Structures are given as structure tokens and as C-alpha cells.
Amino acid sequence: MTQHNTKTPQFFLTSPSKCPYLDGQMERKIFTHLVGDKAPELNELLTQGGFRRSQNIAYRPACETCRRCVSVRILADEFRPTKNMRRIIKANNDLIGTELNPEPTSEQFSLFRAYLDSRHRDGGMSDMTALDYAMMVEDTHVNTKIIEYRRRGPDSFITGKGEGPLIAVSLCDRMNDGYSMVYSFFDPDTEFKSLGTWIILDHISRTNIQGLPFVYLGYWVAGSPKMDYKSRFKPQQHLTVNGWELYRG
């Protein structure tokens, strides 16, 4: 059984592999394990330093010839939705999110599979099983939450919970300075509701309600159509060699 030092993190470097965002590029990652009592503290420190979490691993790009992966965080308190975003908020007023502990369900997995089969059939996660999904959700040593989105019911204003089928799900980490969005997915038949954008808007709202400053979006990659949407949520900061700086693009 592999043993991990829970007090002093050890960092490792992956072998080169094909970049999922830019054609003709190879990627490498530096990573460490997030285990033990210090995992939440370490996760916060590494997230603020440009790392992302996947299960109990924190990783960051360490490519030899490319530096186009840039960590992005939204300044939640200063954020003002665009006209199009206001339309998206209005279109989803019938939904409500319930924040839960990271416990996978068969309903979540069914929605996850429908989302992958519709939107990411050829992606790196396309062959994930129910067990893989369960590990993605519950293999965490930090303050992870899963948010289930359903339609509002007649008692939602009392219970704070939605009713009916599951519409969307977000897996995120709650930190002392905001939310770090890990992964989200939604019913592919509701594309007209722009749920990908709305889930981010909902996290900005949750961050503001709690009086916290940031929503961490992960990496933005200039030149990658997959990542273009992240640049729309302004004001935002990008992590540079000089620290977090306001993005003026």
C-alpha cells in the first residue's frame, strides 16, 4: 500500500502526454496528494498558487514549451452580469440549487453519463463508470460540496430545496476565500437555458452571500475554443509571474 506523507507534501512530475486543449502540443503536470488533516489548508494554499484538484490530487501544468494555461478567478463582489447573462438568470429562475455533502447517487451518474454522451463523447472522461464517478465525488479530504439543481416547487421557499428530476450538478470546494469549481454537468436537452453559464453565475451569487471574494474557474487557455467562455466573467484576475493581476483583455 502506498504511503503519503501528510505533513510535508511531495511533488511529482508526469510524463509528457497529448494536450487536450491545443493541437500539436504536449502537456506535463506537477502534482501532489491531498491527504490527512492538513489537506484543506494545503488545498487552499495550492489553489491560490494556481493548482487544481481532482479527487485527492492537486495538480498544475508544468509544460516545457508552453505557458498558455492561466489560472482564473472571478472578483465576485465586483462582478456585474452582462445583458445576456441577465437573460440567462431570468431564464433559470425556475431552478434552485441545494448544497449537499459529496455523496454520489445513481441519479447523478445517469445525468453525468447523458451529459458526457451528448457533449464530450470523445473526451478523456467518456469511458467513466459509476465507480469512477463515485471516486470523483467522494474521494476528497477537503471541504467539498455537491450542488444539485432542480425546479422550484411550491414548498421550495420554505425548504430551500427543489423538486422533480435532477437538472444540473456542480462539484465544488468551499474555501476560506470563496468557491473553487471542480466540475459541473447538466441535462443536455436543456441547452437553451445556457446552464453552463448559469451554474457559474449561481456560484458567484453564493460567494457574495457568504461575503467571500473569489470564484476559482480553473484554467483559461488562450486559443482554445473550449475555454473561451471563462473570459466572459469580469472583472477577473489571472495568475502571472507577478502574482494575481487584473485581466484587461
Side-chain angles (χ1 to χ4, degrees), residues 72-91:
V72 175
R73 66 185 186 187
I74 303 167
L75 300 175
D77 183 54
E78 299 179 37
F79 174 81
R80 299 294 181 270
T82 63
K83 183 177 181 180
N84 181 60
M85 290 175 182
R86 291 195 296 271
R87 284 197 293 265
I88 292 172
I89 292 171
K90 184 177 181 180

Side-chain angles (χ1 to χ4, degrees), residues 192-206:
F192 65 95
K193 292 173 73 69
S194 300
L195 285 174
T197 296
W198 183 75
I199 291 171
I200 296 175
L201 294 170
D202 181 67
H203 281 68
I204 296 172
S205 176
R206 290 171 183 271

Side-chain angles (χ1 to χ4, degrees), residues 13 17 19 25-30 60-69:
L13 188 64
S17 60
C19 176
Q25 294 287 341
M26 302 295 288
E27 71 166 0
R28 301 188 76 177
K29 295 186 178 78
I30 185 172
R60 187 181 69 184
C63 306
E64 297 173 355
T65 61
C66 180
R67 294 292 184 270
R68 291 166 76 175
C69 287

Side-chain angles (χ1 to χ4, degrees), residues 75-111:
L75 300 175
D77 183 54
E78 299 179 37
F79 174 81
R80 299 294 181 270
T82 63
K83 183 177 181 180
N84 181 60
M85 290 175 182
R86 291 195 296 271
R87 284 197 293 265
I88 292 172
I89 292 171
K90 184 177 181 180
N92 289 283
N93 275 338
D94 60 330
L95 300 183
I96 186 171
T98 304
E99 195 167 303
L100 305 167
N101 290 327
E103 298 174 356
T105 67
S106 58
E107 187 182 24
Q108 292 169 13
F109 178 67
S110 294
L111 184 64

